[in-house]
Amino acid sequence: MVKKGLIRLGILFLYLTSLLPFWFLYLISDVLFVIIYHIVHYRRAVVQQNLANAFPEKTEKERHDIERKYYHYLADLIVETVKMITVSEKQIQKRVVATNAQLVHEYFAKGKSIIAVAGHYCNWEMAALNFNFVTDKRFMIVYKPLNNEIFNDFFIQIRSRFGGQPIAMKQTMRKMVEYRKELTVSVLVGDQTPGVNEVNYFTTFLNQPTAVFLGIEKISKTIDAAVVFYDMKRVKRGYYTYTLVPLTENPKQTAEHELTEMHVQYLEGMIRKEPQYWLWSHRRWKFKPEDKHK
């Protein structure tokens, strides 16, 4: 009970913090960067190893520059996520802009539902909130549940603020099939890490063998949905654009694993252009192909 009380108190603190204006939150971010990078050294060993594996062709100085930029951005990402608790519709539409929202309506006119693939890149959560205003159809956000029930419910409330329908990963196929007779938009994060017992496929991503979920490919083929990728860019501090890049309109015509390779390689291309905006502190490479057979 004491632990739950402290968690609820922490959530109240985050709510009150989210009421602060963006400019003040970015002052907090500047301080937070010093704390997590210079004082706490939050997962710096993980980040350094990930960067070394991903970019062996870069010098140590180049990787160090990426590391510092990443932690600056991570601090911004943290305060922006807090702000999402109370951010207004007007602010979301001002700060996150879809460059080609008409593509959604073009697919709908063809009777196609849409699966939008995102990565842990830029502020993917703010983009998902913005997508609510691109369509008036059912909008689903697939998420990986947190172990802590209170925090899990808290993030569900944030993601559903403007009408989005959060769907737990394990319920995704069932829900997609349930709504297959209506036009929908579904957002799935393509670079989630499967558990060792969930792995059915490895690919090469950022210079190393990487386990990937095949859900995007399987679901899109089952419901025959068009698949697009969120190509997200940071314009300046607190401002983003995203472009919906078509991967396939007819997933059933793609070969096995072809669509999976398409979204994985597209994300890698984005990361290589501006690597500081990917989630390098995530333990993405927890195991290797040989671990599957142990």
Side-chain angles (χ1 to χ4, degrees), residues 114-271:
I114 299 166
I115 290 179
V117 186
H120 289 100
Y121 188 85
C122 284
N123 195 326
W124 65 93
E125 295 278 10
M126 281 181 69
L129 283 187
N130 175 272
F131 214 139
N132 284 277
F133 311 119
V134 171
T135 175
D136 59 354
K137 307 297 184 184
R138 185 184 300 274
F139 178 66
M140 293 178 281
I141 304 169
V142 177
Y143 70 96
K144 194 171 185 177
L146 300 175
N147 292 328
N148 185 283
E149 184 179 350
I150 296 175
F151 271 116
N152 191 63
D153 291 344
F154 176 65
F155 276 101
I156 287 175
Q157 290 177 19
I158 292 175
R159 290 166 177 149
S160 59
R161 284 193 59 216
F162 299 117
Q165 181 179 346
I167 305 293
M169 282 184 68
K170 290 185 177 180
Q171 299 176 1
T172 306
M173 180 66 82
R174 180 173 63 83
K175 287 294 183 181
M176 298 292 185
V177 172
E178 180 181 343
Y179 301 130
R180 67 186 304 171
K181 292 184 179 180
E182 60 180 283
L183 295 175
T184 62
V185 177
S186 306
V187 173
L188 291 87
V189 177
D191 56 352
Q192 295 277 16
T193 304
V196 67
N197 296 320
E198 300 174 295
V199 178
N200 294 305
Y201 185 68
F202 277 86
T203 187
T204 300
F205 173 63
L206 291 171
N207 200 49
Q208 52 209 303
T210 306
V212 292
F213 282 110
L214 296 175
I216 291 166
E217 181 170 325
K218 290 179 179 178
I219 293 167
S220 63
K221 288 183 177 182
T222 299
I223 66 174
D224 197 27
V227 183
V228 301
F229 199 98
Y230 268 94
D231 189 332
M232 198 168 185
K233 291 181 171 58
R234 191 189 197 203
V235 179
K236 60 181 180 178
R237 204 174 200 183
Y239 291 84
Y240 302 90
T241 63
Y242 65 94
T243 301
L244 302 175
V245 179
L247 296 184
T248 180
E249 189 173 324
N250 300 293
K252 291 183 177 181
Q253 296 178 11
T254 60
E256 185 179 19
H257 302 149
E258 181 182 356
L259 183 51
T260 298
E261 290 291 338
M262 288 169 69
H263 74 72
V264 168
Q265 296 309 314
Y266 195 92
L267 175 60
E268 177 169 331
M270 288 169 55
I271 293 169

Side-chain angles (χ1 to χ4, degrees), residues 1-14 148-152 154:
M1 291 298 292
V2 174
K3 184 178 179 180
K4 285 187 176 181
L6 290 174
I7 291 173
R8 294 186 189 282
L9 188 62
I11 289 175
L12 175 61
F13 172 76
L14 292 177
N148 185 283
E149 184 179 350
I150 296 175
F151 271 116
N152 191 63
F154 176 65

Side-chain angles (χ1 to χ4, degrees), residues 13-37 39 71-83 237:
F13 172 76
L14 292 177
Y15 174 81
L16 294 175
T17 302
S18 75
L19 297 173
L20 296 169
F22 271 99
W23 66 266
F24 195 89
L25 288 172
Y26 287 125
L27 292 179
I28 294 175
S29 174
D30 291 338
V31 176
L32 187 59
F33 162 72
V34 175
I35 294 172
I36 62 177
Y37 185 70
I39 300 175
Y71 277 98
H72 270 294
Y73 181 65
L74 180 61
D76 279 1
L77 184 62
I78 291 169
V79 299
E80 287 174 4
T81 301
V82 171
K83 185 63 180 178
R237 204 174 200 183

Side-chain angles (χ1 to χ4, degrees), residues 6-113:
L6 290 174
I7 291 173
R8 294 186 189 282
L9 188 62
I11 289 175
L12 175 61
F13 172 76
L14 292 177
Y15 174 81
L16 294 175
T17 302
S18 75
L19 297 173
L20 296 169
F22 271 99
W23 66 266
F24 195 89
L25 288 172
Y26 287 125
L27 292 179
I28 294 175
S29 174
D30 291 338
V31 176
L32 187 59
F33 162 72
V34 175
I35 294 172
I36 62 177
Y37 185 70
H38 291 289
I39 300 175
V40 179
H41 293 180
Y42 172 71
R43 290 192 176 183
R44 281 187 64 177
V46 173
V47 172
Q48 289 167 1
Q49 187 62 62
N50 284 344
L51 288 171
N53 291 343
F55 303 118
E57 76 283 359
K58 293 186 182 296
T59 65
E60 187 174 341
K61 181 183 182 303
E62 287 174 325
R63 291 196 294 266
H64 179 68
D65 288 344
I66 295 171
E67 179 188 340
R68 282 184 59 85
K69 288 178 181 177
Y70 167 68
Y71 277 98
H72 270 294
Y73 181 65
L74 180 61
D76 279 1
L77 184 62
I78 291 169
V79 299
E80 287 174 4
T81 301
V82 171
K83 185 63 180 178
M84 284 170 54
I85 300 170
T86 56
V87 70
S88 68
E89 175 180 337
K90 182 179 179 181
Q91 286 176 317
I92 283 291
Q93 295 202 64
K94 175 183 177 183
R95 290 177 174 272
V96 186
V97 176
T99 64
N100 62 337
Q102 74 281 358
L103 183 66
V104 173
H105 306 290
E106 290 172 10
Y107 281 134
F108 285 163
K110 296 177 182 179
K112 287 280 186 179
S113 287

